[in-house]
Amino acid sequence: MELVYTSTRNANETVTASQAILKGLAGEGGLFVPSEIPALDLDLDELAGMTYQETAYEVMRRYLTDFTEEELKNCIDQAYDGKFDTKEIAPLVSADGAYYLELFHGSTIAFKDMALSILPHLLTTSAKKNNVANEIVILTATSGDTGKAALAGFADVKGTKIIVFYPKNGVSPIQEKQMVTQRGENTFVVGIHGNFDEAQAGVKNMFSDPDLAEEMERAGYQFSSANSINIGRLVPQIVYYVYAYAKLYANGEIAKGEKINVAVPTGNFGNILAAFYAKQMGLPIAKLICASNENKVLYDFFSNGIYDKNREFILTSSPSMDILISSNLERLIYRIAGEDAQKNSAFMKKLSEEGRYEITAEMKEQLSDFYGNYASEEKTAQTIRRLYQDTGYVIDTHTAVAAAVYETYKAETNDTDTKTVIASTASPFKFTRSVMDAIDHNACDNMTDFELVDALGRISGVEIPQAIESIRNAEILHDTECETNQMQETVKRFLNM
């Protein structure tokens, strides 16, 4: 049966999976969602024996129904290969009473690699399937990790160009250097004088501008997205939750059908939404623990049913979560609004015009799968330090937010028996200064970022990732900056329009 995709803002806009991947964003600013969540109708004993690639095929074929077996397997094989430094692709590490699902073994050492390694292949396959002649321009806003992972995925991919906007002073030094040293004739990087939400708003405005779309068409271009608003990003993320559960079972850590919790550090809501979709498919998940940093808009939403972005934007040590407009939450709002595009549109209109909306009591009742909380900067640093001192295991700042919130969850609920997977979303080497500062504040005095990298390598006993070594002395190739109101003009200049 072919699964179709519908816009969260227009019930009449339906497309195939490949068309949804190509478009990225639906009309009127909506997001594409599957018309139904497919069942994971596979025996767990069968799943337990599968490789990551085999698991990816079984999950993704249920969503991408207009791809042939050969097309989908080809995309998977090209994505999950030697770019990852572990054969398992996403290993599980047991530490301090939880299981850390390490999602950072790809080429840019962040969880975005898990989906952005395959998206270019899904996109170019979708273009062929739909007889697209235009060059595809990937337009992306990043809070730090998506940018580099997308640039690495699309670099020199024929028929594509990629333009990434990032907040000039809102990412870590390592994140910035990874982006501005990116090679590839088709890659463009821009630091905007603003925050991530402003970068994302600028990108969404370009996507929904019909005049710009017409101008692009005349010049032989069309936009698509590498952000998690693209369903081609979201579907591959479901895979690693299924894989983690199957591996826990295969390793004898859980019984067949035993429920687990999943704790996810959350900014744009895509990563935890993928876990929610996995649960809807039938994966035995008890609680979805949504962990925020001090930009706790999601914690407040789960507490009182009010989404309110009218607040101070805080720069934290977990910059990939410094977000006040969680785009993927719209997919959840659409679902709990009874998949009513009109109702969902009304909420999104309020968010756009007033910066806030409040869901109904009936909708709030449907959020019982979720537990939301947040970790302060101090608590995040304490968590890194305590875990290192107690176990020798070093985690990054984002993973520490999830670990800290999981501790709060246990204290508040007394749920200490349910096995819990914590999504470990980045290598500590990507946020070296913050991690080293948390472990030993004095260690950071007068040390450069790369001296800190070497120090972290020594204390953690972990080999410094190639992604870090490759940028140590790399040449800066991208130095463009712009104001938020100059983003469209900058895109046109890159495309010689």
Side-chain angles (χ1 to χ4, degrees):
M1 186 192 77
E2 183 158 296
L3 198 62
V4 297
Y5 287 79
T6 309
S7 168
T8 53
R9 300 192 193 181
N10 181 353
N12 297 318
E13 187 179 357
T14 58
V15 293
T16 63
S18 63
Q19 287 165 345
I21 290 167
L22 268 175
K23 283 176 173 251
L25 197 65
E28 301 162 42
L31 306 184
F32 287 115
V33 288
S35 54
E36 61 181 274
I37 304 291
L40 188 66
D41 47 1
L42 265 175
D43 186 79
L44 186 56
D45 289 297
E46 197 179 340
L47 262 177
M50 289 184 184
T51 63
Y52 191 87
Q53 293 84 344
E54 289 165 343
T55 308
Y57 175 70
E58 288 301 335
V59 173
M60 291 173 67
R61 76 177 179 85
R62 287 164 165 76
Y63 284 92
L64 310 182
T65 53
D66 64 329
F67 282 69
T68 66
E69 180 179 350
E70 185 186 5
E71 285 169 340
L72 189 50
K73 283 185 172 175
N74 184 48
C75 290
I76 289 165
D77 290 344
Q78 288 184 82
Y80 304 113
D81 57 9
K83 292 189 289 293
F84 287 80
D85 63 19
T86 55
K87 191 182 172 188
E88 308 101 294
I89 307 296
L92 276 164
V93 174
S94 176
D96 196 38
Y99 299 92
Y100 288 82
L101 178 61
E102 293 189 343
L103 300 172
F104 53 76
H105 288 278
S107 56
T108 76
I109 57 174
F111 82 101
K112 307 293 173 81
D113 289 324
M114 301 299 294
L116 283 165
S117 292
I118 193 167
L119 182 61
H121 305 294
L122 293 175
L123 195 64
T124 49
T125 303
S126 296
K128 278 180 201 157
K129 290 175 81 63
N130 290 277
N131 302 311
V132 170
N134 287 342
E135 191 160 10
I136 295 164
V137 179
I138 306 299
L139 197 60
T140 292
T142 185
S143 55
D145 286 338
T146 286
K148 173 60 181 179
L151 287 161
F154 282 94
D156 293 323
V157 170
K158 281 183 183 174
T160 70
K161 281 183 167 59
I162 176 161
I163 304 170
V164 169
F165 291 95
Y166 74 97
K168 178 62 188 161
N169 297 308
V171 299
S172 81
I174 297 285
Q175 284 178 311
E176 182 172 47
K177 191 149 191 204
Q178 280 189 304
M179 287 188 280
V180 298
T181 57
Q182 176 65 52
R183 296 186 177 281
E185 291 297 313
N186 64 337
T187 63
F188 304 90
V189 180
V190 187
I192 69 151
H193 301 151
N195 60 42
F196 169 74
D197 287 333
E198 290 167 322
Q200 183 153 266
V203 165
K204 281 188 170 181
N205 288 341
M206 282 187 266
F207 268 105
S208 54
D209 184 334
D211 294 335
L212 181 59
E214 228 173 86
E215 209 177 326
M216 294 273 293
E217 178 71 33
R218 286 197 300 272
Y221 297 118
Q222 68 185 65
F223 282 137
S224 190
S225 172
N227 280 90
S228 54
I229 53 175
N230 193 319
I231 201 72
R233 266 279 304 274
L234 191 61
V235 168
Q237 291 181 273
I238 301 167
V239 174
Y240 45 74
Y241 294 110
V242 175
Y243 180 75
Y245 188 90
K247 285 300 158 251
L248 285 175
Y249 172 65
N251 297 339
E253 302 287 348
I254 55 172
K256 198 172 195 176
E258 181 181 343
K259 287 192 172 183
I260 63 166
N261 295 326
V262 174
V264 186
T266 310
N268 217 9
F269 205 74
N271 204 2
I272 197 163
L273 182 72
F276 173 76
Y277 276 18
K279 177 170 179 164
Q280 297 300 303
M281 291 180 79
L283 198 70
I285 294 175
K287 278 289 177 196
L288 296 156
I289 300 169
C290 179
S292 299
N293 64 15
E294 289 183 354
N295 291 293
K296 56 188 183 69
V297 64
L298 286 166
Y299 163 56
D300 293 340
F301 170 73
F302 283 113
S303 301
N304 58 27
I306 299 169
Y307 194 95
D308 188 350
K309 76 175 183 73
N310 301 316
R311 62 184 73 204
E312 182 191 358
F313 184 93
I314 302 166
L315 291 173
T316 73
S317 61
S318 46
S320 299
M321 297 161 65
D322 290 345
I323 293 170
L324 294 180
I325 303 174
S326 303
S327 293
N328 269 293
L329 186 64
E330 179 172 345
R331 286 184 164 113
L332 182 65
I333 297 297
Y334 172 79
R335 187 170 179 85
I336 63 175
E339 302 193 334
D340 185 324
Q342 210 171 345
K343 269 190 195 173
N344 175 70
S345 283
F347 287 120
M348 296 308 126
K349 190 174 182 215
K350 275 201 138 189
L351 182 64
S352 173
E353 292 175 356
E354 300 168 28
R356 75 191 296 278
Y357 59 83
E358 182 171 2
I359 61 172
T360 64
E362 293 78 20
M363 289 170 72
K364 201 174 173 206
E365 279 171 20
Q366 295 181 64
L367 297 177
S368 58
D369 287 343
F370 291 89
Y371 166 90
N373 219 309
Y374 81 103
S376 66
E377 283 289 89
E378 186 183 359
K379 182 73 174 168
T380 302
Q382 281 174 1
T383 302
I384 293 170
R385 184 165 57 252
R386 184 189 59 76
L387 190 64
Y388 172 68
Q389 289 171 347
D390 291 354
T391 68
Y393 187 56
V394 182
I395 56 174
D396 90 294
T397 46
H398 302 74
T399 307
V401 168
V405 168
Y406 174 52
E407 289 304 313
T408 306
Y409 166 80
K410 284 193 291 183
E412 284 189 0
T413 64
N414 293 318
D415 177 14
T416 54
D417 296 329
T418 308
K419 308 278 177 30
T420 298
V421 169
I422 295 174
S424 186
T425 52
S427 164
F429 287 96
K430 199 151 193 172
F431 303 94
T432 317
R433 188 166 293 276
S434 297
V435 170
M436 287 297 289
D437 193 50
I439 291 171
D440 180 3
H441 186 62
N442 297 323
C444 290
D445 293 347
N446 305 315
M447 289 178 80
T448 67
D449 287 301
F450 283 99
E451 284 169 344
L452 286 168
V453 162
D454 294 331
L456 180 57
R458 286 192 297 273
I459 69 158
S460 66
V462 174
E463 190 178 338
I464 297 167
Q466 183 54 36
I468 299 295
E469 290 294 4
S470 66
I471 62 167
R472 195 184 283 265
N473 300 305
E475 180 190 356
I476 304 295
L477 301 173
H478 306 274
D479 57 6
T480 304
E481 295 180 29
C482 78
E483 302 301 325
T484 53
N485 62 0
Q486 297 173 321
M487 289 171 65
Q488 186 173 135
E489 180 189 314
T490 305
V491 166
K492 286 183 178 182
R493 191 170 74 250
F494 287 150
L495 301 178
N496 298 315
M497 282 169 57

